[in-house]
mmCIF file with all atom_site columns, all heavy atoms in Angstrom:
data_model
loop_
_atom_site.group_PDB
_atom_site.id
_atom_site.type_symbol
_atom_site.label_atom_id
_atom_site.label_alt_id
_atom_site.label_comp_id
_atom_site.label_asym_id
_atom_site.label_entity_id
_atom_site.label_seq_id
_atom_site.pdbx_PDB_ins_code
_atom_site.Cartn_x
_atom_site.Cartn_y
_atom_site.Cartn_z
_atom_site.occupancy
_atom_site.B_iso_or_equiv
_atom_site.pdbx_formal_charge
_atom_site.auth_seq_id
_atom_site.auth_comp_id
_atom_site.auth_asym_id
_atom_site.auth_atom_id
_atom_site.pdbx_PDB_model_num
ATOM 1   N N   . MET Y 1 30 ? 34.538 -7.893  -106.770 1.00 96.00 ? 52 MET Y N   1
ATOM 2   C CA  . MET Y 1 30 ? 33.307 -7.827  -106.247 1.00 96.00 ? 52 MET Y CA  1
ATOM 3   C C   . MET Y 1 30 ? 33.372 -7.387  -104.839 1.00 96.00 ? 52 MET Y C   1
ATOM 4   O O   . MET Y 1 30 ? 32.518 -6.566  -104.262 1.00 96.00 ? 52 MET Y O   1
ATOM 5   C CB  . MET Y 1 30 ? 32.481 -9.236  -106.287 1.00 96.00 ? 52 MET Y CB  1
ATOM 6   C CG  . MET Y 1 30 ? 31.115 -9.234  -105.671 1.00 96.00 ? 52 MET Y CG  1
ATOM 7   S SD  . MET Y 1 30 ? 29.916 -8.327  -106.612 1.00 96.00 ? 52 MET Y SD  1
ATOM 8   C CE  . MET Y 1 30 ? 29.524 -9.491  -107.833 1.00 96.00 ? 52 MET Y CE  1
ATOM 9   N N   . ARG Y 1 31 ? 34.293 -7.918  -104.002 1.00 95.00 ? 53 ARG Y N   1
ATOM 10  C CA  . ARG Y 1 31 ? 34.457 -7.470  -102.671 1.00 95.00 ? 53 ARG Y CA  1
ATOM 11  C C   . ARG Y 1 31 ? 34.864 -5.960  -102.546 1.00 95.00 ? 53 ARG Y C   1
ATOM 12  O O   . ARG Y 1 31 ? 34.317 -5.284  -101.767 1.00 95.00 ? 53 ARG Y O   1
ATOM 13  C CB  . ARG Y 1 31 ? 35.692 -8.329  -102.103 1.00 95.00 ? 53 ARG Y CB  1
ATOM 14  C CG  . ARG Y 1 31 ? 35.910 -8.136  -100.585 1.00 95.00 ? 53 ARG Y CG  1
ATOM 15  C CD  . ARG Y 1 31 ? 37.030 -9.043  -100.218 1.00 95.00 ? 53 ARG Y CD  1
ATOM 16  N NE  . ARG Y 1 31 ? 37.234 -8.973  -98.826  1.00 95.00 ? 53 ARG Y NE  1
ATOM 17  C CZ  . ARG Y 1 31 ? 36.681 -9.616  -97.868  1.00 95.00 ? 53 ARG Y CZ  1
ATOM 18  N NH1 . ARG Y 1 31 ? 35.868 -10.651 -98.236  1.00 95.00 ? 53 ARG Y NH1 1
ATOM 19  N NH2 . ARG Y 1 31 ? 36.991 -9.518  -96.512  1.00 95.00 ? 53 ARG Y NH2 1
ATOM 20  N N   . ASP Y 1 32 ? 35.688 -5.513  -103.470 1.00 96.00 ? 54 ASP Y N   1
ATOM 21  C CA  . ASP Y 1 32 ? 35.983 -4.086  -103.497 1.00 96.00 ? 54 ASP Y CA  1
ATOM 22  C C   . ASP Y 1 32 ? 34.692 -3.300  -103.719 1.00 96.00 ? 54 ASP Y C   1
ATOM 23  O O   . ASP Y 1 32 ? 34.469 -2.181  -103.101 1.00 96.00 ? 54 ASP Y O   1
ATOM 24  C CB  . ASP Y 1 32 ? 36.978 -3.731  -104.564 1.00 96.00 ? 54 ASP Y CB  1
ATOM 25  C CG  . ASP Y 1 32 ? 38.442 -4.332  -104.237 1.00 96.00 ? 54 ASP Y CG  1
ATOM 26  O OD1 . ASP Y 1 32 ? 38.644 -4.602  -102.997 1.00 96.00 ? 54 ASP Y OD1 1
ATOM 27  O OD2 . ASP Y 1 32 ? 39.212 -4.342  -105.181 1.00 96.00 ? 54 ASP Y OD2 1
ATOM 28  N N   . TYR Y 1 33 ? 33.868 -3.738  -104.596 1.00 96.00 ? 55 TYR Y N   1
ATOM 29  C CA  . TYR Y 1 33 ? 32.686 -3.051  -104.938 1.00 96.00 ? 55 TYR Y CA  1
ATOM 30  C C   . TYR Y 1 33 ? 31.729 -2.968  -103.679 1.00 96.00 ? 55 TYR Y C   1
ATOM 31  O O   . TYR Y 1 33 ? 31.141 -1.946  -103.345 1.00 96.00 ? 55 TYR Y O   1
ATOM 32  C CB  . TYR Y 1 33 ? 31.864 -3.708  -106.042 1.00 96.00 ? 55 TYR Y CB  1
ATOM 33  C CG  . TYR Y 1 33 ? 30.564 -3.048  -106.568 1.00 96.00 ? 55 TYR Y CG  1
ATOM 34  C CD1 . TYR Y 1 33 ? 30.598 -2.122  -107.536 1.00 96.00 ? 55 TYR Y CD1 1
ATOM 35  C CD2 . TYR Y 1 33 ? 29.503 -3.431  -105.877 1.00 96.00 ? 55 TYR Y CD2 1
ATOM 36  C CE1 . TYR Y 1 33 ? 29.452 -1.462  -107.809 1.00 96.00 ? 55 TYR Y CE1 1
ATOM 37  C CE2 . TYR Y 1 33 ? 28.242 -2.790  -106.268 1.00 96.00 ? 55 TYR Y CE2 1
ATOM 38  C CZ  . TYR Y 1 33 ? 28.281 -1.836  -107.215 1.00 96.00 ? 55 TYR Y CZ  1
ATOM 39  O OH  . TYR Y 1 33 ? 27.123 -1.154  -107.601 1.00 96.00 ? 55 TYR Y OH  1
ATOM 40  N N   . LEU Y 1 34 ? 31.629 -4.065  -102.972 1.00 96.00 ? 56 LEU Y N   1
ATOM 41  C CA  . LEU Y 1 34 ? 30.789 -4.015  -101.761 1.00 96.00 ? 56 LEU Y CA  1
ATOM 42  C C   . LEU Y 1 34 ? 31.326 -3.090  -100.729 1.00 96.00 ? 56 LEU Y C   1
ATOM 43  O O   . LEU Y 1 34 ? 30.562 -2.292  -100.125 1.00 96.00 ? 56 LEU Y O   1
ATOM 44  C CB  . LEU Y 1 34 ? 30.748 -5.414  -101.141 1.00 96.00 ? 56 LEU Y CB  1
ATOM 45  C CG  . LEU Y 1 34 ? 29.939 -6.464  -102.009 1.00 96.00 ? 56 LEU Y CG  1
ATOM 46  C CD1 . LEU Y 1 34 ? 30.122 -7.816  -101.398 1.00 96.00 ? 56 LEU Y CD1 1
ATOM 47  C CD2 . LEU Y 1 34 ? 28.496 -6.078  -102.021 1.00 96.00 ? 56 LEU Y CD2 1
ATOM 48  N N   . PHE Y 1 35 ? 32.656 -3.040  -100.485 1.00 96.00 ? 57 PHE Y N   1
ATOM 49  C CA  . PHE Y 1 35 ? 33.265 -2.073  -99.515  1.00 96.00 ? 57 PHE Y CA  1
ATOM 50  C C   . PHE Y 1 35 ? 33.133 -0.604  -99.968  1.00 96.00 ? 57 PHE Y C   1
ATOM 51  O O   . PHE Y 1 35 ? 33.009 0.262   -99.221  1.00 96.00 ? 57 PHE Y O   1
ATOM 52  C CB  . PHE Y 1 35 ? 34.595 -2.538  -99.143  1.00 96.00 ? 57 PHE Y CB  1
ATOM 53  C CG  . PHE Y 1 35 ? 34.666 -3.660  -98.168  1.00 96.00 ? 57 PHE Y CG  1
ATOM 54  C CD1 . PHE Y 1 35 ? 35.011 -4.947  -98.687  1.00 96.00 ? 57 PHE Y CD1 1
ATOM 55  C CD2 . PHE Y 1 35 ? 34.343 -3.423  -96.842  1.00 96.00 ? 57 PHE Y CD2 1
ATOM 56  C CE1 . PHE Y 1 35 ? 35.044 -5.984  -97.764  1.00 96.00 ? 57 PHE Y CE1 1
ATOM 57  C CE2 . PHE Y 1 35 ? 34.376 -4.477  -95.885  1.00 96.00 ? 57 PHE Y CE2 1
ATOM 58  C CZ  . PHE Y 1 35 ? 34.731 -5.814  -96.354  1.00 96.00 ? 57 PHE Y CZ  1
ATOM 59  N N   . GLU Y 1 36 ? 33.249 -0.448  -101.277 1.00 95.00 ? 58 GLU Y N   1
ATOM 60  C CA  . GLU Y 1 36 ? 33.105 0.939   -101.777 1.00 95.00 ? 58 GLU Y CA  1
ATOM 61  C C   . GLU Y 1 36 ? 31.728 1.502   -101.746 1.00 95.00 ? 58 GLU Y C   1
ATOM 62  O O   . GLU Y 1 36 ? 31.470 2.676   -101.239 1.00 95.00 ? 58 GLU Y O   1
ATOM 63  C CB  . GLU Y 1 36 ? 33.598 0.996   -103.285 1.00 95.00 ? 58 GLU Y CB  1
ATOM 64  C CG  . GLU Y 1 36 ? 33.534 2.406   -103.815 1.00 95.00 ? 58 GLU Y CG  1
ATOM 65  C CD  . GLU Y 1 36 ? 34.000 2.414   -105.390 1.00 95.00 ? 58 GLU Y CD  1
ATOM 66  O OE1 . GLU Y 1 36 ? 34.633 1.501   -105.733 1.00 95.00 ? 58 GLU Y OE1 1
ATOM 67  O OE2 . GLU Y 1 36 ? 33.716 3.371   -106.079 1.00 95.00 ? 58 GLU Y OE2 1
ATOM 68  N N   . HIS Y 1 37 ? 30.782 0.676   -102.062 1.00 95.00 ? 59 HIS Y N   1
ATOM 69  C CA  . HIS Y 1 37 ? 29.297 1.133   -102.130 1.00 95.00 ? 59 HIS Y CA  1
ATOM 70  C C   . HIS Y 1 37 ? 28.551 0.883   -100.853 1.00 95.00 ? 59 HIS Y C   1
ATOM 71  O O   . HIS Y 1 37 ? 27.483 1.549   -100.671 1.00 95.00 ? 59 HIS Y O   1
ATOM 72  C CB  . HIS Y 1 37 ? 28.647 0.545   -103.275 1.00 95.00 ? 59 HIS Y CB  1
ATOM 73  C CG  . HIS Y 1 37 ? 29.177 1.023   -104.641 1.00 95.00 ? 59 HIS Y CG  1
ATOM 74  N ND1 . HIS Y 1 37 ? 28.931 2.320   -105.227 1.00 95.00 ? 59 HIS Y ND1 1
ATOM 75  C CD2 . HIS Y 1 37 ? 30.152 0.394   -105.467 1.00 95.00 ? 59 HIS Y CD2 1
ATOM 76  C CE1 . HIS Y 1 37 ? 29.540 2.339   -106.366 1.00 95.00 ? 59 HIS Y CE1 1
ATOM 77  N NE2 . HIS Y 1 37 ? 30.309 1.380   -106.521 1.00 95.00 ? 59 HIS Y NE2 1
ATOM 78  N N   . ARG Y 1 38 ? 28.995 0.003   -100.026 1.00 96.00 ? 60 ARG Y N   1
ATOM 79  C CA  . ARG Y 1 38 ? 28.553 -0.215  -98.687  1.00 96.00 ? 60 ARG Y CA  1
ATOM 80  C C   . ARG Y 1 38 ? 26.982 -0.289  -98.605  1.00 96.00 ? 60 ARG Y C   1
ATOM 81  O O   . ARG Y 1 38 ? 26.430 0.449   -97.959  1.00 96.00 ? 60 ARG Y O   1
ATOM 82  C CB  . ARG Y 1 38 ? 29.010 0.744   -97.734  1.00 96.00 ? 60 ARG Y CB  1
ATOM 83  C CG  . ARG Y 1 38 ? 30.534 0.787   -97.746  1.00 96.00 ? 60 ARG Y CG  1
ATOM 84  C CD  . ARG Y 1 38 ? 31.128 1.809   -96.762  1.00 96.00 ? 60 ARG Y CD  1
ATOM 85  N NE  . ARG Y 1 38 ? 31.326 1.358   -95.391  1.00 96.00 ? 60 ARG Y NE  1
ATOM 86  C CZ  . ARG Y 1 38 ? 32.221 0.471   -94.921  1.00 96.00 ? 60 ARG Y CZ  1
ATOM 87  N NH1 . ARG Y 1 38 ? 33.014 -0.064  -95.711  1.00 96.00 ? 60 ARG Y NH1 1
ATOM 88  N NH2 . ARG Y 1 38 ? 32.291 0.335   -93.745  1.00 96.00 ? 60 ARG Y NH2 1
ATOM 89  N N   . PRO Y 1 39 ? 26.336 -1.270  -99.283  1.00 96.00 ? 61 PRO Y N   1
ATOM 90  C CA  . PRO Y 1 39 ? 24.922 -1.424  -99.230  1.00 96.00 ? 61 PRO Y CA  1
ATOM 91  C C   . PRO Y 1 39 ? 24.523 -1.716  -97.802  1.00 96.00 ? 61 PRO Y C   1
ATOM 92  O O   . PRO Y 1 39 ? 25.274 -2.409  -97.084  1.00 96.00 ? 61 PRO Y O   1
ATOM 93  C CB  . PRO Y 1 39 ? 24.588 -2.538  -100.202 1.00 96.00 ? 61 PRO Y CB  1
ATOM 94  C CG  . PRO Y 1 39 ? 25.791 -3.382  -100.151 1.00 96.00 ? 61 PRO Y CG  1
ATOM 95  C CD  . PRO Y 1 39 ? 26.898 -2.385  -100.102 1.00 96.00 ? 61 PRO Y CD  1
ATOM 96  N N   . ASP Y 1 40 ? 23.339 -1.391  -97.407  1.00 96.00 ? 62 ASP Y N   1
ATOM 97  C CA  . ASP Y 1 40 ? 22.856 -1.669  -96.014  1.00 96.00 ? 62 ASP Y CA  1
ATOM 98  C C   . ASP Y 1 40 ? 22.331 -3.176  -96.071  1.00 96.00 ? 62 ASP Y C   1
ATOM 99  O O   . ASP Y 1 40 ? 22.596 -3.854  -95.100  1.00 96.00 ? 62 ASP Y O   1
ATOM 100 C CB  . ASP Y 1 40 ? 21.690 -0.849  -95.613  1.00 96.00 ? 62 ASP Y CB  1
ATOM 101 C CG  . ASP Y 1 40 ? 22.168 0.704   -95.511  1.00 96.00 ? 62 ASP Y CG  1
ATOM 102 O OD1 . ASP Y 1 40 ? 23.018 0.904   -94.709  1.00 96.00 ? 62 ASP Y OD1 1
ATOM 103 O OD2 . ASP Y 1 40 ? 21.654 1.575   -96.315  1.00 96.00 ? 62 ASP Y OD2 1
ATOM 104 N N   . TYR Y 1 41 ? 21.722 -3.537  -97.186  1.00 97.00 ? 63 TYR Y N   1
ATOM 105 C CA  . TYR Y 1 41 ? 21.137 -4.884  -97.249  1.00 97.00 ? 63 TYR Y CA  1
ATOM 106 C C   . TYR Y 1 41 ? 21.523 -5.576  -98.609  1.00 97.00 ? 63 TYR Y C   1
ATOM 107 O O   . TYR Y 1 41 ? 21.686 -4.707  -99.672  1.00 97.00 ? 63 TYR Y O   1
ATOM 108 C CB  . TYR Y 1 41 ? 19.551 -4.822  -97.056  1.00 97.00 ? 63 TYR Y CB  1
ATOM 109 C CG  . TYR Y 1 41 ? 19.089 -4.196  -95.820  1.00 97.00 ? 63 TYR Y CG  1
ATOM 110 C CD1 . TYR Y 1 41 ? 18.844 -2.856  -95.755  1.00 97.00 ? 63 TYR Y CD1 1
ATOM 111 C CD2 . TYR Y 1 41 ? 19.119 -5.075  -94.666  1.00 97.00 ? 63 TYR Y CD2 1
ATOM 112 C CE1 . TYR Y 1 41 ? 18.467 -2.312  -94.505  1.00 97.00 ? 63 TYR Y CE1 1
ATOM 113 C CE2 . TYR Y 1 41 ? 18.683 -4.527  -93.499  1.00 97.00 ? 63 TYR Y CE2 1
ATOM 114 C CZ  . TYR Y 1 41 ? 18.367 -3.187  -93.399  1.00 97.00 ? 63 TYR Y CZ  1
ATOM 115 O OH  . TYR Y 1 41 ? 18.073 -2.697  -92.256  1.00 97.00 ? 63 TYR Y OH  1
ATOM 116 N N   . ILE Y 1 42 ? 21.507 -6.908  -98.743  1.00 96.00 ? 64 ILE Y N   1
ATOM 117 C CA  . ILE Y 1 42 ? 21.829 -7.501  -99.907  1.00 96.00 ? 64 ILE Y CA  1
ATOM 118 C C   . ILE Y 1 42 ? 20.640 -8.535  -100.097 1.00 96.00 ? 64 ILE Y C   1
ATOM 119 O O   . ILE Y 1 42 ? 20.330 -9.276  -99.231  1.00 96.00 ? 64 ILE Y O   1
ATOM 120 C CB  . ILE Y 1 42 ? 23.162 -8.248  -99.751  1.00 96.00 ? 64 ILE Y CB  1
ATOM 121 C CG1 . ILE Y 1 42 ? 24.328 -7.339  -99.603  1.00 96.00 ? 64 ILE Y CG1 1
ATOM 122 C CG2 . ILE Y 1 42 ? 23.373 -9.091  -101.100 1.00 96.00 ? 64 ILE Y CG2 1
ATOM 123 C CD1 . ILE Y 1 42 ? 25.703 -7.828  -99.282  1.00 96.00 ? 64 ILE Y CD1 1
ATOM 124 N N   . VAL Y 1 43 ? 20.073 -8.529  -101.251 1.00 93.00 ? 65 VAL Y N   1
ATOM 125 C CA  . VAL Y 1 43 ? 19.038 -9.393  -101.548 1.00 93.00 ? 65 VAL Y CA  1
ATOM 126 C C   . VAL Y 1 43 ? 19.494 -10.619 -102.291 1.00 93.00 ? 65 VAL Y C   1
ATOM 127 O O   . VAL Y 1 43 ? 20.309 -10.585 -103.217 1.00 93.00 ? 65 VAL Y O   1
ATOM 128 C CB  . VAL Y 1 43 ? 17.974 -8.672  -102.539 1.00 93.00 ? 65 VAL Y CB  1
ATOM 129 C CG1 . VAL Y 1 43 ? 16.861 -9.687  -102.926 1.00 93.00 ? 65 VAL Y CG1 1
ATOM 130 C CG2 . VAL Y 1 43 ? 17.376 -7.508  -101.919 1.00 93.00 ? 65 VAL Y CG2 1
ATOM 131 N N   . LEU Y 1 44 ? 19.225 -11.818 -101.702 1.00 91.00 ? 66 LEU Y N   1
ATOM 132 C CA  . LEU Y 1 44 ? 19.677 -13.025 -102.326 1.00 91.00 ? 66 LEU Y CA  1
ATOM 133 C C   . LEU Y 1 44 ? 18.485 -13.754 -102.983 1.00 91.00 ? 66 LEU Y C   1
ATOM 134 O O   . LEU Y 1 44 ? 17.774 -14.460 -102.261 1.00 91.00 ? 66 LEU Y O   1
ATOM 135 C CB  . LEU Y 1 44 ? 20.373 -13.928 -101.261 1.00 91.00 ? 66 LEU Y CB  1
ATOM 136 C CG  . LEU Y 1 44 ? 21.468 -13.225 -100.428 1.00 91.00 ? 66 LEU Y CG  1
ATOM 137 C CD1 . LEU Y 1 44 ? 22.018 -14.109 -99.353  1.00 91.00 ? 66 LEU Y CD1 1
ATOM 138 C CD2 . LEU Y 1 44 ? 22.606 -12.869 -101.404 1.00 91.00 ? 66 LEU Y CD2 1
#
Side-chain angles (χ1 to χ4, degrees):
M52 181 69 81
R53 187 179 182 89
D54 290 346
Y55 183 87
L56 291 172
F57 281 104
E58 179 182 343
H59 294 280
R60 302 177 89 70
D62 298 299
Y63 300 97
I64 300 172
V65 177
L66 305 175

